[in-house]
Amino acid sequence: MQSVEIHGLEEFDCKLQNLLKNAPEKRRRLHEEIAEMTKAEVDNSIGGTGKVASWQEKAVGSGGGYAAVRPKAKTYIYNKTNSKKYAVGYVTNAIENGHAIRNPKNLKTRRRIKVSAAKGRAFYASARVKAETQAIQMCRDFAEKLTDELR
């Protein structure tokens, strides 16, 4: 009787099962590394003394499926002049996208102001471009490591 035998499938199957078993934690580690890199890019884009950068935090999904950098939740800053508190997300949004400027009551100061809104800094947008290319490279390296494990 004629037949074809393929050797090594059991070894490959064992490696594949091991890889699939460890895949969720490896994926989570990859997203944690991407979040760390993205946080560094955002901090670099913000610049300055570090006050606004300290309001940002990295986040990884509960299942390890995504990475993000966003303003800290339930964190507030206090305005001493009017005794109000503002969420750092609100302030970060105003710095990122710009905000309206009210007309001062002083006529001399009003004449100096030539714009109706402050221009946004767009530090998230500039960090997104840089972080995206680095994240793609990190994913390629991750895929390369997975294929090396199967060999």
Side-chain angles (χ1 to χ4, degrees):
M1 183 159 128
Q2 297 173 352
S3 67
V4 175
E5 288 186 32
I6 300 174
H7 299 284
L9 281 180
E10 296 85 19
E11 180 184 347
F12 176 74
D13 188 48
C14 182
K15 285 181 180 180
L16 187 60
Q17 290 299 325
N18 189 26
L19 182 69
L20 292 175
K21 185 177 83 174
N22 296 330
E25 77 178 46
K26 288 180 181 184
R27 184 178 80 167
R28 180 170 188 77
R29 267 189 264 126
L30 171 68
H31 281 97
E32 287 172 354
E33 291 172 11
I34 290 173
E36 190 69 38
M37 177 270 305
T38 306
K39 170 79 167 94
E41 282 297 329
V42 169
D43 290 349
N44 190 31
S45 293
I46 291 172
T49 61
K51 188 172 189 177
V52 177
S54 70
W55 298 339
Q56 313 307 311
E57 68 181 352
K58 62 182 180 163
V60 178
S62 59
Y66 72 91
V69 175
R70 54 181 161 234
K72 291 180 181 176
K74 299 180 183 175
T75 305
Y76 302 94
I77 58 170
Y78 294 92
N79 186 342
K80 295 176 185 174
T81 58
N82 62 6
S83 300
K84 287 185 178 180
K85 67 179 183 177
Y86 296 98
V88 295
Y90 180 78
V91 177
T92 300
N93 186 41
I95 296 169
E96 169 75 7
N97 300 310
H99 56 86
I101 300 172
R102 68 175 176 83
N103 263 337
K105 292 181 175 135
N106 184 345
L107 184 62
K108 187 175 181 182
T109 308
R110 192 180 313 159
R111 286 186 192 135
R112 287 186 299 147
I113 297 177
K114 305 291 185 207
V115 294
S116 62
K119 189 176 177 185
R121 296 273 314 275
F123 49 83
Y124 275 123
S126 64
R128 181 180 297 120
V129 173
K130 296 174 189 171
E132 199 171 274
T133 56
Q134 290 181 14
I136 289 170
Q137 186 58 46
M138 291 170 80
C139 289
R140 286 184 179 144
D141 294 343
F142 178 73
E144 188 69 33
K145 287 178 188 174
L146 290 180
T147 55
D148 287 345
E149 285 183 30
L150 288 175
R151 291 183 185 153

